[in-house]
Amino acid sequence: VLALVQLLVTVFLLQRWLAGPIAEVGQVTAKISRGDFEAKVAVRSRDELGELASAVNRMAEALKSYEQKLRTQERLAALGELASFAAHNIRNPLAGIRAAAQVMLAECTSQPAVQESLKEIIQSVDKLDVWIQRLLGFAKPLDLQPAPVEISRLLQESLQLNENLLKSKKIAVETNIFGLPPVSADPTLMEQ
């Protein structure tokens, strides 16, 4: 009888201290395998079972992080496809606008004001083309091309590109930034 009681107590203690925690680890790993990365194993001790519980919890955190990174990469890939489609559909009309402006520029030799406007159109189309190239490269790592940049000149050029928009909204811009030394920066990204 004493041996039977001792066996029952041993089975009970093994169930409580060994089989129960192992079953809990099994249940949590099943939840994790179904995508529930918030599931955690309670760490009740510092022995091997506690280390196992901690390892399962770290694994869940790592899987959660990898899933977030994967979703971000999927969104960037979709954005890259959208940018490529948009760039193609924008570039075609821009090429037509640039070609028409070049033809008109060659034909309007007696009208300097018209020629100046056509040159601005060609220059704006060229800048848009560079911006579209940058948009296409958005999903790729940033490729900086630093060069000496005069901030005051860059600001004036950017304001000139938006001059008609500013006038239509009755916005007057005053600048007083002359005499600044050049800085090393990517001129296209600075302009954007």
Side-chain angles (χ1 to χ4, degrees), residues 18-187:
L18 187 61
I22 290 175
E24 182 185 359
V25 168
Q27 292 169 352
V28 170
T29 55
K31 288 180 182 178
I32 292 170
S33 71
R34 289 190 300 269
D36 180 7
F37 303 123
E38 298 297 325
K40 300 287 182 241
V41 179
V43 180
R44 295 187 181 94
S45 63
R46 294 186 178 183
D47 60 4
E48 290 81 6
L49 288 175
E51 288 178 25
L52 177 64
S54 295
V56 168
N57 292 341
R58 285 191 305 273
M59 178 189 68
E61 286 298 318
L63 288 172
K64 181 180 177 183
S65 174
Y66 292 139
E67 181 188 43
Q68 289 171 346
K69 288 178 184 176
L70 182 61
R71 287 186 182 181
T72 300
Q73 288 176 346
E74 287 173 351
R75 281 194 300 266
L76 283 175
L79 181 60
E81 289 178 28
L82 176 64
S84 177
F85 177 76
H88 176 73
N89 288 326
I90 292 172
R91 274 184 155 166
N92 287 341
L94 283 178
I97 292 169
R98 190 178 197 292
Q102 286 176 319
V103 168
M104 291 176 65
L105 183 63
E107 293 176 359
C108 295
T109 56
S110 63
Q111 298 171 330
V114 172
Q115 280 191 319
E116 190 59 36
S117 293
L118 291 169
K119 287 178 184 177
E120 287 178 16
I121 289 171
I122 292 169
Q123 181 183 12
S124 294
V125 167
D126 290 343
K127 286 188 179 199
L128 283 173
D129 190 53
V130 171
W131 289 358
I132 290 169
Q133 282 291 75
R134 293 290 177 136
L135 178 65
L136 288 172
F138 178 71
K140 299 174 189 171
L142 192 60
D143 180 26
L144 295 177
Q145 297 176 5
V149 176
E150 293 180 30
I151 297 296
S152 58
R153 183 183 58 77
L154 186 64
L155 180 60
Q156 291 299 338
E157 289 176 2
S158 296
L159 287 172
Q160 283 175 349
L161 282 175
N162 294 296
E163 185 175 8
N164 292 334
L165 176 66
L166 294 170
K167 283 181 183 177
S168 71
K169 297 188 183 269
K170 298 180 180 159
I171 298 172
V173 178
E174 286 185 33
T175 59
N176 187 11
I177 58 168
F178 301 101
L180 293 176
V183 297
S184 179
D186 187 312

